Amino acid sequence: MTNYKTKLKIGEFSQLMRVTVKTLRHYEQKGLLLPHDVDNWTGYRYYSIDQMQKLQNIRDLQKLGFSLDEVKELYEDNSHTPNIHQMEEKIKETEKQLKLLIARRDQLLNWKNSLKEMNTMEKFSVQPLPEIIVASHREIIPNFEALGPMCYEKIGPEMKRLNCKCPKPGYCFTIEHNKEYTPTDVDIEYCEQVEEMGTDSDIIHFKRIPAVPKALCMKHVGPYERFYESFIEAFRYIEEKGYKIAGKPRTSYIDGAWNQEDPEKWLSVIQIPIE
């Protein structure tokens, strides 16, 4: 008496194991899970009951971060199970991915919270600016469009090299040092808040910026070349309310070219010390 072997069509096997036929065909192409039998006449593929456990093992290993090529190697040497060294490597990879995911989550949370604060903020508000330590870079750039490339091509990499740590949420701003408005050859200083003083380099200078007891803060939505429109409105507001300008204005960047392609949606805050 011969033992009867249950044969399942690929669709039946797919349904029972909750895996798509496309995935099963992909496993077959990789040489990882071949059908138990193929009808030469119809081309129908049949799977056995025994193959259910192998499929489950493959899926479990994938969930643990093993690629199909790595799983195939495990089955080719008949171990079916990763050794201690392979597990340690996967643990290291997972920890690295976890750090990246946590950093991404923190960036998204900070961005969301900043946008929520900005959306609820009145167009004009008066608030104090605390004393902070900043990593500063001053340069004459050809125009405001060159500000973005200067930040992510020069300042960002240098701050990373110097191992600068920035408190959350991040705070960066620029100060213009031209004595009069000019659309070209802009003498601009970029400042980003850091947790502690560092060692100066040819690009970055660390300094402490004193607190500002009172500053007019105004939202600016749109490209940087239209800053002058918001400054006109801010200065008019200062005059109407009887304030006096008490220091150089700052422009803080909330949402810009680094995460928003449309310049019309860029969000900045103009901060003008007043008394």
Side-chain angles (χ1 to χ4, degrees), residues 90-251:
K90 282 301 168 189
I91 291 170
K92 289 179 183 177
E93 288 180 20
T94 303
E95 288 174 343
K96 184 177 180 180
Q97 292 169 3
L98 184 59
K99 288 179 181 178
L100 292 173
L101 288 171
I102 290 173
R104 182 192 300 175
R105 180 205 62 187
D106 290 344
Q107 287 179 333
L108 286 169
L109 284 172
N110 290 333
W111 184 18
K112 182 193 77 172
N113 292 336
S114 295
L115 290 176
K116 283 175 66 177
E117 289 177 9
M118 293 306 303
N119 289 335
T120 56
M121 171 184 164
E122 297 290 339
K123 187 170 187 178
F124 295 103
S125 65
V126 175
Q127 3 178 324
L129 304 178
E131 180 184 271
I132 56 174
I133 299 171
V134 300
S136 164
H137 173 77
R138 183 172 173 177
E139 182 178 334
I140 296 177
I141 56 177
N143 49 50
F144 279 103
E145 292 179 355
L147 178 60
M150 180 187 75
C151 292
Y152 52 74
E153 292 176 5
K154 181 184 289 186
I155 300 173
E158 180 67 359
M159 288 183 65
K160 184 176 181 181
R161 187 186 74 83
L162 295 174
N163 197 29
C164 295
K165 292 182 174 58
C166 302
K168 295 182 173 68
Y171 175 48
C172 63
F173 59 91
T174 56
I175 299 173
E176 292 179 48
H177 292 281
N178 294 89
K179 293 184 179 179
E180 60 185 51
Y181 169 74
T182 172
T184 60
D185 297 328
V186 183
D187 184 357
I188 199 161
E189 181 181 7
Y190 175 90
C191 299
E192 184 156 357
Q193 186 178 7
V194 293
E195 292 181 353
E196 57 186 15
M197 297 288 287
T199 302
D200 291 352
S201 70
D202 293 337
I203 297 175
I204 296 295
H205 171 64
F206 294 91
K207 63 181 182 179
R208 193 178 300 274
I209 294 188
V212 175
K214 191 183 296 183
L216 174 70
C217 301
M218 175 187 172
K219 286 197 294 186
H220 170 88
V221 179
Y224 304 148
E225 57 264 28
R226 291 213 305 264
F227 274 148
Y228 74 93
E229 297 175 358
S230 293
F231 274 112
I232 290 172
E233 191 174 355
F235 290 148
R236 184 180 294 121
Y237 181 90
I238 289 171
E239 189 175 74
E240 289 175 354
K241 297 297 181 180
Y243 294 121
K244 292 181 181 178
I245 297 173
K248 284 185 175 292
R250 305 177 188 176
T251 305

Side-chain angles (χ1 to χ4, degrees), residues 41-52:
W41 180 256
T42 64
Y44 288 164
R45 287 162 167 75
Y46 295 94
Y47 290 82
S48 68
I49 300 299
D50 294 340
Q51 288 180 299
M52 287 182 168

